[in-house]
Amino acid sequence: MLAWILQTTTRLIAGLGSATLGALQGLGKRALFVWAVIPALPYSVWRIRLLMKQIYFAGVLSLPIILTAGLFVGMVLGLQGHHILTTYNSEEAVGTMTALSLIRELGPVVAALLFAGRAGSALTAEVGLMKSTEQLSALEMMAVDPMKFVIAPRILASIIALPMLAMIFIATGIFGGYVVAVGWLGVDDGAFWAQMSEQVDWYDDVINGLVKAVVFAILIAIIALYEGYESVPTSEGVSHATTRSVVHASLVVLGVDFILTSLMFT
Amino acid sequence: MTRQIKAEIGVGLLVLITLVSMVFIALKVSNFSALQDRPSYQLEALFSNVGGLTVRAPVKVSGVTIGRVAKISIDPISYRAKVAMDIYNDYNDLPMDSSASILTSGLLGSQYVGVEIGGDEEVLADGARFNYTQSALVLESLIGRLMVSLTEGGDK
């Protein structure tokens, strides 16, 4: 009996240890990946054509989903905000509420989540397939650094594309809120815009929102490309990597958003 | 049309839409235009209590914004709150005996400096100080005074 208890506890402790070591190893591998990408980044700035193609894939092709989602999120905010604010007789504040929640939180976060699903998954699948069809090895055989030609342009393109998409998301969202609040629910047009520009600060709100979007872009790109680059080179491995990429990226975006918010808006 | 050209048109379009969004957010949504440094001169005022006044709060005459609060500090001599205000150069003819008071927009709104225009011939120059000020209304002391006057009234 005693021996059995001892054995089970040892196994439990060993399991805990192995899980911790695994997590640390994963973290270390990601850090090494980032370390290897950093020197390749300045190189890819001058490869305008490669960069342009990646911005097209990551940014331009994400436009329809960003526009649609932004419009509907803004419309819902206008509707709900108006619903609550009428009980306090201050439905003019609906503009302020819509704008602030979009600029500070929803714009960067929802755009980042959509980006992780729309572009991040594609990056993982593409790089994972490149690996499983040994294109990456072929590049290395030709003395072409895949970090410079495959990974770096994609990271840079994400860092450029996501902040732009977040800004577009915010603008369409506010327009959606305007359509619902002023066009449909009859909030005063002048008060809507005047209160908004009174309360929204360019540096504290808009610039901080942009900083958030840049941070999210870096995280999403690194997670997506790492998962692709380190995926098991089988069809199953690539499919797992794609799933992990979207799940991890979404969770990291939400977690880091909380940290950034607590640092920025005190 | 080659793929490269298509990508370039797409990216160009993306940048264009982003720029339109940025201009919209800057001009219509945020206070970007109000932050631009308009040529201004500085005035000071001493208050015994600034309440919830913050830097960049508006300075108003008859409800029209004529400047912004630049700095709030403690005057080292009188230990009262010293509020420095940037007043736009368009309004460089405020009479010497104008008074500054800290007011609240609406019942629970943000606080601003309201300037009541006087009748003096001389005007406040750059760096001058308002001679007449009225501090922020503190709800607690107001209620306290009301309570005192009510209980005194009850004794009679």
Side-chain angles (χ1 to χ4, degrees):
Chain A
M1 183 64 192
L2 195 73
W4 180 81
I5 290 174
L6 205 69
Q7 208 175 15
T8 325
T9 3
T10 321
R11 206 177 299 149
L12 274 175
I13 291 171
L16 187 68
S18 129
T20 314
L21 286 177
L24 279 177
Q25 195 186 15
L27 214 64
K29 276 167 101 174
R30 282 168 177 79
L32 284 177
F33 179 74
V34 173
W35 190 245
V37 171
I38 289 171
L41 280 177
Y43 190 80
S44 70
V45 176
W46 304 108
R47 299 263 149 192
I48 287 292
R49 293 201 150 190
L50 269 177
L51 196 62
M52 200 72 96
K53 202 175 136 202
Q54 292 310 322
I55 295 178
Y56 180 78
F57 277 126
V60 179
L61 295 183
S62 303
L63 254 185
I65 190 175
I66 290 287
L67 287 173
T68 327
L71 191 69
F72 281 116
V73 167
M75 284 166 77
V76 167
L77 277 176
L79 205 55
Q80 289 283 15
H82 183 268
H83 191 69
I84 295 165
L85 289 168
T86 33
T87 48
Y88 302 106
N89 280 327
S90 51
E91 55 264 39
E92 287 85 10
V94 72
T96 316
M97 196 213 73
T98 315
L100 277 182
S101 42
L102 275 166
I103 289 169
R104 287 182 175 179
E105 297 293 336
L106 290 172
V109 172
V110 177
L113 292 178
L114 292 172
F115 189 79
R118 164 68 189 69
S121 61
L123 288 180
T124 311
E126 193 187 6
V127 175
L129 217 64
M130 275 185 179
K131 192 186 183 193
S132 68
T133 51
E134 296 182 334
Q135 291 180 48
L136 293 182
S137 316
L139 280 177
E140 272 177 51
M141 291 295 283
M142 294 188 290
V144 175
D145 187 0
M147 284 293 172
K148 279 181 188 166
F149 279 87
V150 178
I151 307 294
R154 285 170 171 75
I155 288 186
L156 213 62
S158 302
I159 294 174
I160 294 169
L162 182 52
M164 297 208 281
L165 292 175
M167 280 291 126
I168 295 170
F169 187 95
I170 291 168
T172 20
I174 291 170
F175 177 73
Y178 171 78
V179 167
V180 168
V182 177
W184 182 19
L185 297 170
V187 173
D188 183 61
D189 190 20
F192 183 89
W193 293 116
Q195 284 212 9
M196 193 190 286
S197 56
E198 187 91 354
Q199 296 288 327
V200 179
D201 190 84
W202 174 259
Y203 293 106
D204 288 350
D205 297 321
V206 182
I207 298 295
N208 272 342
L210 260 179
V211 170
K212 271 188 179 182
V214 172
V215 173
F216 295 159
I218 295 172
L219 291 171
I220 292 171
I222 284 173
I223 289 172
L225 291 166
Y226 171 83
E227 291 294 348
Y229 197 74
E230 295 287 326
S231 64
V232 182
T234 59
S235 50
E236 203 189 2
V238 174
S239 99
H240 277 302
T242 312
T243 311
R244 259 205 315 274
S245 152
V246 176
V247 172
H248 285 186
S250 307
L251 290 180
V252 166
V253 163
L254 292 172
V256 169
D257 178 56
F258 175 73
I259 297 171
L260 286 180
T261 300
S262 62
L263 289 178
M264 287 169 170
F265 305 105
T266 44
Chain B
M1 207 174 354
T2 63
R3 278 185 76 177
Q4 185 64 34
I5 301 251
K6 207 175 137 200
E8 276 169 13
I9 291 174
V11 174
L13 230 90
L14 181 74
V15 173
L16 207 70
I17 300 177
T18 311
L19 283 180
V20 170
S21 307
M22 287 289 273
V23 169
F24 168 69
I25 290 171
L27 298 184
K28 196 91 186 178
V29 177
S30 81
N31 59 354
F32 185 70
S33 45
L35 284 183
Q36 290 326 91
D37 285 333
R38 283 171 65 178
S40 57
Y41 65 103
Q42 202 161 61
L43 293 181
E44 282 177 7
L46 291 181
F47 295 99
S48 48
N49 192 340
V50 291
L53 192 74
T54 55
V55 173
R56 283 214 293 271
V59 179
K60 293 181 180 183
V61 171
S62 315
V64 179
T65 304
I66 61 159
R68 304 248 156 212
V69 172
K71 195 180 161 206
I72 300 173
S73 57
I74 291 283
D75 182 54
I77 300 161
S78 64
Y79 284 98
R80 296 167 77 197
K82 185 167 80 178
V83 174
M85 290 164 270
D86 287 330
I87 310 291
Y88 304 140
N89 276 355
D90 316 357
Y91 310 100
N92 58 0
D93 48 0
L94 301 178
M96 200 70 168
D97 58 345
S98 301
S99 69
S101 37
I102 296 177
L103 305 171
T104 311
S105 49
L107 197 58
L108 298 165
S110 54
Q111 290 188 303
Y112 65 96
V113 178
V115 175
E116 202 69 41
I117 297 298
D120 207 317
E121 295 272 309
E122 274 187 85
V123 296
L124 288 162
D126 184 29
R129 189 173 278 186
F130 283 100
N131 287 320
Y132 308 104
T133 63
Q134 192 190 349
S135 290
L137 212 61
V138 179
L139 212 55
E140 286 90 331
S141 64
L142 194 72
I143 291 173
R145 247 182 291 165
L146 187 72
M147 294 295 278
V148 169
S149 69
L150 277 182
T151 43
E152 276 175 356
D155 284 346
K156 276 174 196 168

